[in-house]
Amino acid sequence: MLDTTLPDFLASDAQAAERDAVGPGPVPLTLDVNNVSHSLFIEPKTTLAEALRDSLDLTGTKVGCDRGACSACTVWLDGKPIAACMMLAIDVGSRKITTIEGLAHGDELHPVQSAFIAHDAVQCGFCTPGLVMSCAALLESNPTLTIDDIKAATSGHLCRCGTHPHVHDAMLDASRIRKT
Amino acid sequence: MTSADTRSQKYPVGIDSVSMAEIERRVPAGEAPPLPPNAQLAVIGKSIPRINGRAKVTGAAPFTVDVKLPGMLYARLLRSPLPHARVMSIDIGAAERHPGVRAIHVINDVVGRAVETTGQNTPAGTSGRRVLYVGDPIAAVAAVTPEAAQAAVDLIKVDYQPLAFVVDLEDARKPDAPRVFTHPVHGESFAGGNPAGAALPQQGNVLGPNKSGSRGDAAAGFADADVVVEHEFRTQVQTHCCLEPHGLVADWRKDGLTVHMSTQFTAGIRAELAAAFGLPLSRVRVIVDAMGGGFGSKSSAGNYARAAVTLSRQANAPVRLVLDRHEEQIDSGNRPATVQRLRVGARRNGTLTAIAIDTYGTSGVGLGAGIGNFAQAIYDCANFELLQSDVFINAGPGCAMRAPGNVPGAFALEQTIDELAEKLGMDPLTLRERIDLSAVRREERRIGAARFGWNRRRAPGSDSGPIKRGLGMAQSLWGANVRTNSACEVRIFRDGSVEVLSSVQDIGTGIGTVLAQVVAEELGLRPEDITVRIGDTEYPAGPPSYGSLTTASITPPARNAAYQVLRKLIEIVAPSIAAAAGNLVARAGRISTADNSRSIGFREAAAQLPTDQIGVVASRSDDYAGFARKMGDMASAQNALGGVQFAEVAVDTETGIVRVERVVAVQDCGRPMNPLQIESQVQGGILQGISYALFEERILDRHTGHMLNANLEQYKILRSRETPAIEVHLLENYQGMSATDAYGIAEPSNIATAPAIANAVYNAIGVRLRQLPMSPAAVLAALGRIPQRSGPT
């Protein structure tokens, strides 16, 4: 499920005013992505999705609509799935970003990734990284899944090829394996 | 073919576990020997995980949108904000002066739509071109950043003279409607359905009727009928919504053009761009690795690719042009809307005496809003009358979308057949037993009815509460298409490694995995031993990924190439193990005599090669018993593809919400090559069918011509919550027609879903919905709880 809480900076008017003073030209900022700290010099209007794809060459994060409607760009913000196209990179602050490139441990795939391969929960693959990130977050937070849990967690994801049935199979299998 | 070039072979034919037999075929001498049924094979017919699965789940798979070349520029298009206007002048001065701008191209020649014989375009650089829809491309800019390109696009000054326009299908048919085209038009049937061709009458915005496909005497047939059913059906415009947008990186160099493009047909794009830019085929290279969905809309280069290539030539740098989601919705193709009036006559015993269909539809400024060959071919009926017309409106051109024509055609006919069954007092399955001559679909109905529990079906509207359940079914028909201009190379290297190479592209169907299976089976290796190189026109030209023809076209040459290169290897190594070459086979990683008494490992055998590698290129031979039709590179096999689907729905009569709870699909595709991947495609076909039936609809504002839901939140598409339980059952239908005997699955799986749901909705509520989508409003209107709305645009 996508985190719909407002970014922290909106909570404080004083911080917001300070933010207004930045840009439009590039500004320095630090992003913690997949446990590596990156120093960037980018325009404040840059979305997190753009920063990941264009500045850090982490192109596994896909942009399908750039409006938060398809969830292809799902990454984790402190372990919670968010739409990277709907957040400015500058608003990430010190929070940790995990992208699809950071999900596996070296050559060892995350159980959700392995289950997606085994159940062919992949067709064209464009929505897949985002779906995997939502599904992996679900499995981390709730190891005993029902089909309704899976449908709810992936309800924001558009998959035009129609991999949903195999995604459901993969997740039930991953959940079963985790329990045993 | 002389008898010297051919030999006779016995092939397994029939439906596995139902009725298997053998048939003798004469086949070309270079063909691999007959392949036994899947149960006797090691790799083909097994659910091998897709070879690029790991790359796709880790984000490593490179899509076109991920391609970055050194010095790459970014392009944006200027599109018409008006639905119909004459461009009086274009001033690009300010745009040229904008920092970072490297090239500007004013688009004068447009493709992918109906073309007026005279009067549409004016010479380059001057005013006068008419733009015909909101989103019609006018100019393109390449700059060092996407922002600079967009800023420059915004600085282009266009003086438009607005013209009267029409975007409503019914309005456009009126004699006094504004004309989209003022001169006679011609062009290809871009949307895939009929009508096409020349010399059709054209009155106002109506082109047609095209009467081709008619047979017999419909009037006489209706005179013979005991029962006649007649109704009008309406289907909406559906957009493709590929998740990866249309896009490319064009790199024009002195020595040739290289294009990275999200496309369904690398070899076709090469031919199209070579012709458009006057380049030899040998100087154009088209590449696609991972490809984010096409569904028919990424089959040709279109205006956007031509613009990107032109900008690259002008700027002397690579140019990236990727459409945004709004552009995707308004100008990357769509499935045309149709209005179909069907009349079907039958005798009391169900025998069909006549079918008459009068249909019109709109492909916007394109052609081909017809209903395919579904009604024409699926049932036994001597008298068939078909009138098809295109109606032009000021909207983006349609193009082929998964089973073009047959999807709207089946929605109308399969409901009409059910209505006829009810009038005759027959079960829908019983009537189809009488009128459907296909032995394959007969078996599919039998299996499907048993698995689905068809005997649970009750009289329409049986449930007493507000939520009513219903069961329905419908059938599919699609041509078993083949492109004979399909080639493949298999190479064996001296270290024992193996490559299969073809320009065929994997758009998500998993054809690369299937090629690895085919070559591995033939060489006695494992799929992971085969290096698959596809999606690049540097390799032998393969087929497109459309028309459900990819597997049928490229797996036979892959197997034949593997067979022939293996024979070369065997000739070389036979003396070393003192065996006759004709007595050696490849299996389990070894080359051995039939009785296994003498053998050599595949790698040790390859080490005897006199050169680093040997290879054979093979191309698709004709089906062994001949094709039903062949035109140029394209052919249709003798037996069409079938499929039967059953749907169970729950209709909330208070909210109008239709929920599809379960679908059972029984499909055939000749020899299934990889059942798991086929199941994926069938599930996708069903889910797109549900989405088409219940949710999707392009909505145009008749006052401005703009699409009101040109995004992915208001253009509704099925997602996980609306996904029902789906059961897929595959027939193994052997016909002894090629080296693999495999045919396609993508389109047949998308045809029966919407009518099966419509028939189930009728069974639930006792009222027919003859218009798509079956939205809550449409259901409530059908139930008489709210007023009927007007037709779709």
Side-chain angles (χ1 to χ4, degrees):
Chain A
M1 263 170 289
L2 295 178
D3 184 356
T4 53
T5 54
L6 289 173
D8 290 346
F9 79 95
L10 283 180
S12 154
D13 286 342
Q15 281 179 2
E18 199 176 311
R19 194 77 59 191
D20 285 342
V22 176
V27 294
L29 79 100
T30 305
L31 275 187
D32 181 332
V33 182
N34 301 332
N35 293 319
V36 178
S37 181
H38 297 272
S39 295
L40 300 178
F41 189 62
I42 56 176
E43 293 177 22
K45 72 176 181 65
T46 308
T47 66
L48 175 57
E50 290 165 343
L52 292 170
R53 289 182 51 81
D54 302 336
S55 302
L56 299 178
D57 274 332
L58 294 170
T59 54
T61 300
K62 295 292 184 270
V63 176
C65 68
D66 211 19
R67 294 292 183 276
C70 75
S71 299
C73 63
T74 301
V75 300
W76 292 354
L77 180 71
D78 277 347
K80 282 186 174 176
I82 61 150
C85 76
M86 296 296 281
M87 177 172 234
L88 298 179
I90 199 172
D91 291 330
V92 171
S94 59
R95 289 173 290 182
K96 286 175 177 296
I97 300 295
T98 308
T99 72
I100 190 70
E101 291 89 349
L103 193 61
H105 292 286
D107 281 347
E108 191 193 334
L109 295 179
H110 187 279
V112 165
Q113 291 173 310
S114 304
F116 266 54
I117 296 172
H119 290 272
D120 204 39
V122 176
Q123 289 186 48
C124 84
F126 200 82
C127 75
T128 305
L131 259 172
V132 167
M133 293 309 287
S134 282
C135 286
L138 174 69
L139 192 68
E140 298 297 328
S141 66
N142 175 5
T144 56
L145 294 176
T146 67
I147 185 93
D148 287 335
D149 294 332
I150 300 164
K151 286 187 175 183
T154 57
S155 62
H157 288 265
L158 179 60
C159 171
R160 191 47 153 167
C161 299
T163 58
H164 303 294
H166 279 165
V167 170
H168 301 163
D169 293 348
M171 285 300 287
L172 289 172
D173 197 22
S175 165
R176 187 182 53 74
I177 291 169
R178 177 144 295 195
K179 273 183 280 178
T180 55
Chain B
M1 250 183 304
T2 65
S3 59
D5 324 307
T6 65
R7 63 173 198 268
S8 274
Q9 303 259 233
K10 285 201 168 66
Y11 286 81
V13 292
I15 300 169
D16 185 62
S17 75
V18 178
S19 59
M20 287 301 292
E22 275 194 331
I23 194 164
E24 188 148 314
R25 303 271 194 220
R26 286 208 73 78
V27 306
E31 294 283 311
L35 208 53
N38 279 352
Q40 298 168 46
L41 298 175
V43 192
I44 288 177
K46 306 294 178 281
S47 291
I48 307 292
R50 64 181 66 214
I51 56 174
N52 50 3
R54 190 183 177 96
K56 286 185 176 179
V57 301
T58 56
F63 288 80
T64 299
V65 295
D66 304 329
V67 171
K68 280 179 200 163
L69 300 181
M72 185 173 84
L73 304 174
Y74 298 83
R76 292 288 297 157
L77 291 164
L78 171 66
R79 294 177 177 278
S80 172
L82 299 174
H84 195 189
R86 189 167 293 282
V87 175
M88 303 307 288
S89 66
I90 300 178
D91 178 1
I92 60 170
E96 278 179 321
R97 291 188 296 274
H98 188 74
V101 170
R102 292 289 181 270
I104 300 181
H105 166 52
V106 175
I107 298 169
N108 282 303
D109 294 312
V110 285
V111 298
R113 66 186 68 182
V115 180
E116 289 182 316
T117 45
T118 55
Q120 186 165 344
N121 295 321
T122 55
T126 65
S127 60
R129 184 191 146 203
R130 280 191 304 130
V131 286
L132 300 180
Y133 56 95
V134 172
D136 204 346
I138 293 172
V141 177
V144 294
T145 65
E147 293 79 8
Q150 185 59 53
V153 162
D154 296 341
L155 287 171
I156 297 175
K157 287 198 193 78
V158 183
D159 180 15
Y160 299 100
Q161 180 192 72
L163 300 171
F165 67 92
V166 60
V167 297
D168 179 84
L169 175 55
E170 297 304 331
D171 290 347
R173 297 173 70 221
K174 293 174 183 161
D176 59 344
R179 298 282 183 86
V180 177
F181 295 107
T182 49
H183 294 79
V185 301
H186 61 93
E188 290 173 54
S189 169
F190 305 108
N194 288 325
L200 294 175
Q202 186 176 342
Q203 286 219 312
N205 291 317
V206 180
L207 180 70
N210 184 338
K211 298 178 183 174
S212 67
S214 301
R215 61 177 181 263
D217 182 342
F222 284 115
D224 261 1
D226 298 319
V227 177
V228 174
V229 178
E230 180 170 4
H231 285 294
E232 186 178 273
F233 296 84
R234 287 173 175 264
T235 67
Q236 78 283 39
V237 168
Q238 180 183 28
T239 60
H240 295 71
C241 297
C242 314
L243 210 50
E244 181 184 34
H246 291 63
L248 72 156
V249 178
D251 190 7
W252 181 287
R253 305 278 175 107
K254 282 193 185 68
D255 57 354
L257 168 68
T258 301
V259 171
H260 300 261
M261 184 161 175
S262 183
T263 177
Q264 298 176 233
F265 193 11
T266 54
I269 297 296
R270 175 176 68 172
E272 193 179 337
L273 292 178
F277 290 90
L279 294 169
L281 287 174
S282 58
R283 294 289 179 94
V284 182
R285 180 178 180 188
V286 179
I287 303 168
V288 63
D289 194 328
M291 195 286 205
F295 314 108
S297 70
K298 292 179 180 170
S299 306
S300 57
N303 297 307
Y304 69 103
R306 283 168 169 75
V309 173
T310 305
L311 290 170
S312 175
R313 181 174 61 183
Q314 238 173 281
N316 202 21
V319 170
R320 178 189 197 264
L321 176 55
V322 175
L323 306 193
D324 66 23
R325 188 50 58 184
H326 185 260
E327 293 175 292
E328 285 289 303
Q329 289 285 27
I330 63 175
D331 192 30
S332 73
N334 55 70
R335 186 195 296 284
T338 68
V339 179
Q340 308 170 47
R341 176 154 285 276
L342 273 71
R343 200 167 167 230
V344 177
R347 298 226 176 80
R348 296 231 175 276
N349 68 5
T351 306
L352 298 180
T353 60
I355 298 174
I357 304 179
D358 190 345
T359 176
Y360 58 89
T362 184
S363 185
V365 299
L367 292 165
I371 56 166
N373 74 337
F374 187 84
Q376 195 178 322
I378 190 164
Y379 295 123
D380 183 29
C381 183
N383 306 306
F384 181 78
E385 183 182 280
L386 182 60
L387 302 177
Q388 304 193 80
S389 299
D390 269 322
V391 182
F392 299 114
I393 63 170
N394 291 104
C399 73
M401 183 166 183
R402 203 167 186 167
N406 285 27
V407 164
F411 173 72
L413 185 72
E414 285 295 90
Q415 286 210 74
T416 307
I417 295 299
D418 261 39
E419 294 196 58
L420 181 63
E422 187 171 35
K423 264 200 166 180
L424 293 166
M426 296 171 87
D427 182 275
L429 290 179
T430 312
L431 175 58
R432 286 176 175 86
E433 284 296 305
R434 178 165 294 276
I435 62 177
D436 183 359
L437 301 180
S438 160
V440 172
R441 268 192 304 272
R442 171 164 301 142
E443 185 60 18
E444 289 170 339
R445 282 191 301 271
R446 190 187 66 74
I447 294 169
R451 294 194 166 222
F452 183 68
W454 182 250
N455 55 11
R456 295 177 296 134
R457 188 167 176 272
R458 297 165 300 160
S462 287
D463 277 329
S464 53
I467 294 181
K468 299 182 189 298
R469 289 196 154 66
L471 310 184
M473 60 82 61
Q475 306 205 119
S476 175
L477 172 131
W478 186 252
N481 299 316
V482 172
R483 183 178 161 98
T484 52
N485 176 5
S486 298
C488 187
E489 179 174 6
V490 176
R491 294 175 180 165
I492 299 174
F493 291 82
R494 203 182 242 178
D495 65 354
S497 58
V498 175
E499 256 182 348
V500 54
L501 310 96
S502 171
S503 79
V504 67
Q505 51 289 308
D506 182 353
I507 68 168
T509 59
I511 190 63
T513 308
V514 171
L515 288 176
Q517 289 177 259
V518 169
V519 174
E521 182 80 45
E522 196 58 29
L523 301 184
L525 301 174
R526 301 165 304 170
E528 56 267 38
D529 297 329
I530 313 300
T531 300
V532 177
R533 299 198 187 279
I534 57 174
D536 187 337
T537 56
E538 293 289 279
Y539 311 138
S545 299
Y546 58 63
S548 301
L549 57 67
T550 316
T551 304
S553 302
I554 198 62
T555 59
R559 179 159 181 255
N560 286 332
Y563 166 75
Q564 290 169 29
V565 77
L566 175 67
R567 294 326 296 176
K568 286 189 175 189
L569 177 63
I570 284 175
E571 293 288 344
I572 292 165
V573 302
S576 72
I577 53 171
N583 191 26
L584 289 174
V585 294
R587 62 186 168 212
R590 302 190 71 77
I591 290 170
S592 4
T593 52
D595 63 1
N596 256 334
S597 60
R598 269 161 294 164
S599 72
I600 180 172
F602 188 87
R603 190 172 301 180
E604 292 73 44
Q608 297 184 27
L609 287 177
T611 53
D612 269 8
Q613 67 193 60
I614 56 172
V616 170
V617 179
S619 59
R620 180 61 157 89
S621 24
D622 285 4
D623 273 14
Y624 297 150
F627 290 119
R629 279 176 303 281
K630 191 172 180 201
M631 281 176 64
D633 293 341
M634 299 291 291
S636 297
Q638 291 187 1
N639 300 306
L641 300 167
V644 177
Q645 293 184 4
F646 294 79
E648 183 163 357
V649 303
V651 183
D652 185 329
T653 55
E654 291 178 346
T655 63
I657 291 173
V658 176
R659 277 197 73 81
V660 179
E661 298 191 325
R662 181 170 171 241
V663 175
V664 172
V666 191
Q667 304 282 155
D668 57 279
C669 54
R671 177 195 299 274
M673 303 301 279
N674 184 321
L676 184 62
Q677 288 186 170
I678 294 169
E679 184 179 86
S680 287
Q681 276 203 74
V682 173
Q683 290 171 343
I686 291 165
L687 294 182
Q688 285 185 5
I690 297 172
S691 196
Y692 176 65
L694 301 183
F695 308 121
E696 297 184 37
E697 182 173 23
R698 180 188 72 183
I699 299 170
L700 297 180
D701 179 0
R702 68 184 69 196
H703 303 295
T704 64
H706 281 256
M707 180 174 174
L708 296 176
N709 54 346
N711 51 46
L712 292 177
E713 57 264 36
Q714 285 143 325
Y715 184 91
K716 293 295 182 192
I717 295 174
L718 169 144
R719 301 193 186 198
S720 63
R721 283 188 203 272
E722 297 81 39
T723 296
I726 297 176
E727 293 154 53
V728 178
H729 184 86
L730 283 178
L731 292 195
E732 291 179 28
N733 179 31
Y734 298 101
Q735 301 168 72
M737 288 293 186
S738 75
T740 60
D741 219 9
Y743 292 99
I745 195 67
E747 286 162 305
S749 66
N750 187 220
I751 293 168
T753 315
I757 294 168
N759 284 333
V761 167
Y762 173 73
N763 183 241
I765 62 175
V767 181
R768 280 228 169 256
L769 273 81
R770 299 191 180 89
Q771 181 168 324
L772 290 178
M774 293 179 271
S775 63
V779 171
L780 293 177
L783 290 168
R785 299 195 169 187
I786 60 169
Q788 285 281 352
R789 64 165 203 173
S790 61
T793 54

